[in-house]
Amino acid sequence: MLVLDGKIAAAAVKATLLEQTQALKAAGKRMPHLAAILVGNNGASETYVASKVKNCEETGFGSSLYRMDADVEEAVLLAKIAELNQDPNCDGILVQLPLPKHIKESKVIEAIDPAKDVDGFHPVNVGRLVQGLNTFIPATPYGIILMLEHFNIETKGKNAVVIGRSNIVGRPMSILLSSNIAQGNCTVTICHSHTKNLKDICLGADIIVAALGVPNFLTGDMIKPGAVIIDVGITRVEDATAKKGFRIKGDVHYEEACAKASAITPVPGGVGLMTIAGLLKNTMKAYQGL
Ligand code: NAD
């Protein structure tokens, strides 16, 4: 059984990006720059944004982090986005989700210039993705595609099941896997909280992407021998024995899945690291121009 190690695949992506930024530096060019906006102080969001900034530094990208209080007015956030849209030194803008309830997420996403939308959530970019046009692929599905590519996982003609239909993971993942691309050409079933006979559907799958946010949901009895298992889930589960008081759990019962799968992503150390790789690649793409 092959462990799809995110550290290895992400390091390969980052090494290529570092070569590119070093070449830009040698040519006296401006560096690609990512601007991140963090509203409030949600623990997980803090961790994700800190990691994104750190990874920018490691690959020679510039980055700025703008922090706003949890009760910031929506208009203030929108004004910041408008300013960054106009800033010629800023290539990519990301607003860390989720946002506080008084801020309308769709309004914020649509305020970002589609040419700087490195999260790929703007409806214009989602439309381009659906039509198979050049676009910013949302970072997590993009990271999964990069992972499949790195480990030479064959997808053509396979049955893929995606569990979860969110705009940031499940839905774009299902579109990509069904697209006519190297890591696509699957026959895709997308499942959600109203899906019946999920176990039977999963048992017919050659590839399963679990992105629902329910720890240990996908158990061994739901997996066909030899299937490829991609675990997107990241849930903080309280654990008094852990140093931080919690442990990160995926959506897949890892030990049971290992006994069945031909390849599997661990949590942590799998898709999460690839998400950042996807984001960095999008930022380079924004710098170069879509
Ligand atoms: P979400 O809550 O927006 O969507 C969850 C989806 O799962 C929904 O479409 C829902 O219908 C479906 N679902 C819920 N319960 C189900 C069930 N019992 N059976 C079938 N479907 C069910 O979540 P999201 O933002 O897509 O994130 C999913 C998970 O992935 C979370 O754990 C999140 O933390 C994680 N995540 C990880 C990364 C990463 O980089 N690894 C990135 C984004 C999200």
Side-chain angles (χ1 to χ4, degrees):
M1 206 241 357
L2 174 67
V3 175
L4 303 171
D5 189 332
K7 271 191 237 92
I8 295 171
V13 172
K14 282 165 61 182
T16 306
L17 289 169
L18 185 59
E19 273 173 28
Q20 288 176 276
T21 54
Q22 281 172 341
L24 290 170
K25 200 171 178 183
K29 299 264 175 60
R30 180 179 74 77
M31 292 294 111
H33 192 102
L34 175 71
I37 304 178
L38 177 59
V39 181
N41 49 10
N42 172 291
S45 294
E46 289 268 1
T47 309
Y48 297 148
V49 169
S51 175
K52 287 167 186 173
V53 168
K54 179 169 158 269
N55 275 272
C56 277
E57 283 165 12
E58 286 170 4
T59 34
F61 287 50
S63 67
S64 319
L65 173 56
Y66 300 96
R67 289 174 170 276
M68 296 187 176
D69 292 336
D71 61 356
V72 68
E73 278 180 41
E74 186 181 88
V76 174
L77 174 57
L78 293 174
K80 185 72 207 171
I81 293 171
E83 182 193 314
L84 292 168
N85 281 342
Q86 296 303 320
D87 183 349
N89 293 315
C90 164
D91 303 291
I93 303 170
L94 86 81
V95 179
Q96 185 64 42
L97 303 179
L99 290 167
K101 291 217 160 41
H102 68 282
I103 297 176
K104 201 167 174 204
E105 230 161 69
S106 59
K107 203 167 170 185
V108 170
I109 290 168
E110 285 175 42
I112 298 172
D113 179 347
K116 297 191 177 190
D117 169 40
V118 287
D119 262 336
F121 298 157
H122 193 290
V124 165
N125 287 322
V126 177
R128 295 180 67 87
L129 180 76
V130 172
Q131 295 194 348
L133 301 171
N134 187 27
T135 188
F136 297 112
I137 303 170
T140 301
Y142 191 15
I144 294 170
I145 294 293
L146 293 169
M147 171 88 97
L148 296 172
E149 184 182 19
H150 182 86
F151 289 102
N152 287 316
I153 303 288
E154 179 63 75
T155 57
K156 191 160 78 181
K158 305 277 177 172
N159 288 330
V161 167
V162 178
I163 313 174
R165 59 177 166 188
S166 73
N167 288 339
I168 64 170
V169 190
R171 178 88 53 199
M173 191 73 241
S174 70
I175 292 164
L176 285 163
L177 286 172
S178 69
S179 298
N180 186 7
I181 56 172
Q183 275 67 44
N185 288 309
C186 291
T187 303
V188 180
T189 306
I190 181 160
C191 302
H192 45 75
S193 47
H194 296 278
T195 298
K196 296 208 166 70
N197 305 324
L198 187 65
K199 181 177 169 182
D200 289 342
I201 295 169
C202 287
L203 280 170
D206 305 305
I207 300 168
I208 302 179
V209 179
L212 64 159
V214 180
N216 292 336
F217 178 85
L218 191 79
T219 46
D221 60 334
M222 300 167 82
I223 299 171
K224 179 167 96 171
V228 172
I229 307 296
I230 309 292
D231 190 353
V232 184
I234 296 183
T235 306
R236 289 182 171 198
V237 177
E238 275 184 38
D239 184 342
T241 67
K243 216 166 43 183
K244 292 180 179 162
F246 65 86
R247 285 189 200 282
I248 301 292
K249 288 274 176 203
D251 289 345
V252 177
H253 192 300
Y254 190 75
E255 291 74 24
E256 287 186 17
C258 281
K260 292 283 193 73
S262 61
I264 186 167
T265 62
V267 175
V271 173
L273 300 174
M274 295 312 295
T275 294
I276 294 179
L279 174 71
L280 293 172
K281 281 198 56 114
N282 277 343
T283 305
M284 179 58 90
K285 195 173 192 176
Y287 173 85
Q288 292 166 334
L290 251 189

